[in-house]
Amino acid sequence: MAPSLNDLFFAEAGSAFARQLALGDLIGDRPWNVDIGRGEITFGSDLAFPIQVLGTCSEQDSSWLWAWASHQSGLPAAVLAASLRIKDIGSQRGIGEFVEPKFTLDRITDHMLAMLCGALLDRGCYYRAPYQGGAVFLLLDKLPAAIRAPVAPERVNTVLMQVVSNFEVDHRSMAENFLHQQGFAVKAAPALLSANRDTDGAEIRLAFDTQRRIAKVEGIIKPRTAKKSWWKPW
């Protein structure tokens, strides 16, 4: 059976969101400017990245339009390659939302689409550039290596809690995939995930309720001299 868009999102949401947080750390509150002709976005006077146009979201009818289908926009072919790759992935994997030119957003949101595109295309990041009546979603290229680096132990809890707060996901599926992708060795029990990472001594334990929702998070760092708690159970 071909995976659904939701299945793919559950698998990629944690790491994709972590990269978005890292991008936010990098650009801060710098003003942005997009030059579609040059295929570039700038943040302030010191950051510039090549871009691809993924698609647009219309506030009027809550719809998504893929860049490859935006025939009246006059977009240069050079900025359409990423959206066409997504279309190909949709054709190969049987994901209807990737091949349908335009559709109404509901449980599948514009941010979900953009996050998943970034994950499927070289673990990239997106930027939402608003305009009157909607927004264009851009895939950024040639980002610093730190954006894709494993998350710091202190950020694991932040990522998990923000993903489950902002998106409808299978908590357990999302969390287990996220921990694996971030370099943790994961041991699974019916209502528990235990994970550790040798590179920094981080440990995490997640407890789940009967509906697979995260019920408790505990984590510690193991420095050379002492064991230090880095967040409290909630």
Side-chain angles (χ1 to χ4, degrees):
M1 180 182 295
S4 69
L5 188 146
N6 278 329
D7 292 334
L8 290 175
F9 185 73
F10 297 164
E12 300 290 348
S15 291
F17 195 84
R19 291 191 294 272
Q20 291 300 129
L21 290 180
L23 176 65
D25 292 341
L26 176 66
I27 64 179
D29 58 0
R30 291 175 176 85
W32 59 272
N33 184 68
V34 174
D35 188 327
I36 294 293
R38 294 181 60 184
E40 182 181 76
I41 187 169
T42 57
F43 298 97
S45 59
D46 58 334
L47 294 176
F49 304 105
I51 58 168
Q52 290 282 300
V53 181
L54 294 173
T56 55
C57 172
S58 170
E59 295 175 354
Q60 182 176 5
D61 58 2
S62 298
S63 65
W64 175 269
L65 176 66
W66 288 107
W68 55 261
S70 184
H71 304 300
Q72 297 180 348
S73 64
L75 290 169
V79 300
L80 299 179
S83 69
L84 287 168
R85 285 177 63 190
I86 291 296
K87 183 182 180 184
D88 288 341
I89 291 172
S91 297
Q92 295 164 9
R93 302 190 186 185
I95 303 171
E97 294 87 352
F98 285 177
V99 297
E100 188 173 350
K102 183 178 180 179
F103 56 91
T104 300
L105 296 167
D106 187 13
R107 296 187 66 181
I108 295 172
T109 70
D110 46 6
H111 289 279
M112 286 176 62
L113 288 169
M115 284 172 61
L116 189 50
C117 287
L120 296 173
L121 300 179
D122 308 317
R123 296 184 302 128
C125 288
Y126 74 90
Y127 190 79
R128 179 185 183 275
Y131 55 79
Q132 186 173 0
V136 58
F137 284 76
L138 308 168
L139 186 69
L140 278 57
D141 195 10
K142 297 186 178 178
L143 294 166
I147 298 293
R148 297 182 175 90
V151 296
E154 297 85 352
R155 180 156 277 187
V156 172
N157 187 51
T158 300
V159 171
L160 291 172
M161 293 303 100
Q162 290 202 27
V163 170
V164 300
S165 296
N166 287 284
F167 302 99
E168 293 185 19
V169 296
D170 180 310
H171 290 201
R172 180 165 182 135
S173 177
M174 180 276 296
E176 188 166 359
N177 279 284
F178 171 61
L179 292 170
H180 278 298
Q181 292 161 2
Q182 297 302 312
F184 286 85
V186 181
K187 294 182 179 179
L192 184 71
L193 290 177
S194 300
N196 64 82
R197 189 165 62 185
D198 291 340
T199 54
D200 54 16
E203 295 182 5
I204 183 171
R205 291 181 295 276
L206 301 177
F208 299 88
D209 64 18
T210 56
Q211 298 183 52
R212 296 172 59 90
R213 297 175 303 195
I214 296 174
K216 182 187 290 187
V217 183
E218 296 178 329
I220 58 173
I221 295 175
K222 287 184 177 178
R224 294 180 181 177
T225 55
K227 184 177 287 189
K228 179 182 177 183
S229 226
W230 49 279
W231 72 64
K232 296 180 180 179
W234 61 273

